[in-house]
Amino acid sequence: MNLTDTETLKFLKGSPVFLDDICAVYPVTIGEIVDEGYDNFQKYLGVLISEKPVITSKDDPELKEMLDNLTDFQYLLLMASIDFEVNTTLKKAFNFFLKEEVDFSFDPAQIIIGPVEEKHLLTEEKFYDLQRLLRRMYFIEQEGEEIIIYPDDPPATKKIKMQMRANREKVRKAKAKKAAQEKNDLKFSDLLGSITINDCGLNMDNIWNITYYAFHDQLKRMGWRDQFNINNRAALAGAKLKKSQLKHWMRSIASSDKS
């Protein structure tokens, strides 16, 4: 699913984005997140964009063999069928972001959106489209290109993809450890409180009505602008700066996700 400025504008405004004729995905507001509970919001988002765990032969050979034969989508459906907590969390997540009730089918592998008789079926391919949409809509960064393991991938291809996944997981854990060591204890509430004193028109009366995407869009642009102004003043005072340090703050969010 290739996202264009049409979708980004909907992320900002809060209009639903339609995934073919299967479902609508809603950019939730700050107020909706607060009312649902920020911890629940993170849990719902986490379960919908999750991948199957990376297991090595040393950890559990039998489990690794089983996981090797399942795609991320199949693994999620399997967990939904055998784990009541996963099933409940998934249903709440779909209801929160899609405003629909869902049912799960392992064979055939699909998620039924809304009433069964309406046949709005979320297949594996479309589920990955949903994941891509959610990552963009909720500012979830992903290192490198997405690694999707498909049922019809040759064994050699699956093996390579699993190794790539394992390597990426090692890098992710290393970065998470470093980030934890550098953590400055800023909470979501701190970010909300801080942006309202930034002369951007947001205050404690209206901030609850903007989308999560719009909030992070403004927060990132605020950081770019402040850094540009600081560097520009330093350059005018005679400091030698790299060209990249004087990059203007008015830039593309889509092409600067990792800035």
Side-chain angles (χ1 to χ4, degrees):
M1 181 180 188
N2 295 319
L3 298 176
T4 66
D5 204 38
T6 295
E7 285 77 33
T8 302
L9 288 168
K10 290 182 178 181
F11 298 169
L12 286 165
K13 181 178 181 289
S15 299
V17 177
F18 292 92
L19 188 61
D20 294 340
D21 62 346
I22 302 169
C23 61
V25 186
Y26 292 83
V28 298
T29 65
I30 300 298
E32 289 174 314
I33 291 171
V34 171
D35 290 342
E36 185 70 20
Y38 184 62
D39 290 341
N40 287 332
F41 163 72
Q42 290 183 304
K43 183 166 63 175
Y44 298 161
L45 194 54
V47 74
L48 286 179
I49 64 172
S50 64
E51 298 175 340
K52 63 182 180 180
V54 177
I55 301 292
T56 66
S57 300
K58 295 179 181 178
D59 296 328
D60 190 326
E62 292 184 4
L63 179 59
K64 181 183 184 304
E65 183 179 359
M66 183 195 76
L67 290 176
D68 285 349
N69 293 317
L70 293 175
T71 64
D72 293 325
F73 185 62
Q74 291 170 334
Y75 173 77
L76 186 67
L77 292 178
L78 175 63
M79 293 304 297
S81 69
I82 64 176
D83 189 311
F84 177 77
E85 184 175 349
V86 172
N87 186 290
T88 301
T89 300
L90 265 174
K91 287 184 175 180
K92 288 181 178 179
F94 276 106
N95 186 259
F96 186 65
F97 293 113
L98 275 59
K99 304 187 187 305
E100 293 275 11
E101 302 294 330
V102 300
D103 287 298
F104 307 110
S105 168
F106 188 72
D107 187 17
Q110 59 190 17
I111 297 173
I112 303 147
I113 309 291
V116 176
E117 61 272 15
E118 293 184 4
K119 297 182 179 179
H120 295 300
L121 305 177
L122 191 64
T123 60
E124 182 162 3
E125 180 182 356
K126 291 302 176 183
F127 179 74
Y128 296 142
D129 283 343
L130 174 64
Q131 287 187 322
R132 295 183 193 101
L133 179 59
L134 288 171
R135 288 191 181 100
R136 280 288 302 279
M137 188 180 286
Y138 294 100
F139 270 80
I140 304 296
E141 293 184 357
Q142 182 164 321
E143 296 291 336
E145 295 183 4
E146 191 173 13
I147 304 171
I148 298 176
I149 301 172
Y150 295 102
D152 56 351
D153 279 343
T157 302
K158 287 185 178 180
K159 184 176 180 180
I160 292 171
K161 287 184 176 181
M162 287 301 296
Q163 186 59 53
M164 292 170 65
R165 281 268 189 90
N167 293 338
R168 180 175 290 181
E169 181 66 9
K170 289 178 182 178
V171 173
R172 186 196 67 79
K173 287 181 178 180
K175 287 188 175 182
K177 184 178 179 180
K178 182 180 179 181
Q181 293 171 344
E182 298 174 349
K183 187 177 179 182
N184 57 8
D185 294 326
L186 271 179
K187 297 182 176 63
F188 189 51
S189 56
D190 297 316
L191 297 176
L192 287 171
S194 298
I195 201 171
T196 56
I197 62 171
N198 192 48
D199 294 328
C200 60
L202 292 173
N203 55 54
M204 285 303 176
D205 289 325
N206 63 24
I207 196 169
W208 318 111
N209 300 322
I210 68 171
T211 65
Y212 184 86
Y213 183 92
F215 170 73
H216 275 279
D217 174 276
Q218 291 296 286
L219 193 67
K220 179 167 281 194
R221 293 183 191 281
M222 179 180 74
W224 288 342
R225 185 197 60 189
D226 290 348
Q227 192 61 54
F228 173 80
N229 289 338
I230 291 170
N231 290 341
N232 195 43
R233 286 195 296 269
L236 290 173
K240 293 183 179 180
L241 300 175
K242 296 178 181 178
K243 186 177 180 180
S244 60
Q245 291 178 286
L246 293 173
K247 186 176 181 180
H248 199 272
W249 58 269
M250 191 178 294
R251 67 182 85 157
S252 168
I253 286 285
S255 61
S256 306
D257 285 340
K258 293 176 176 60
S259 296

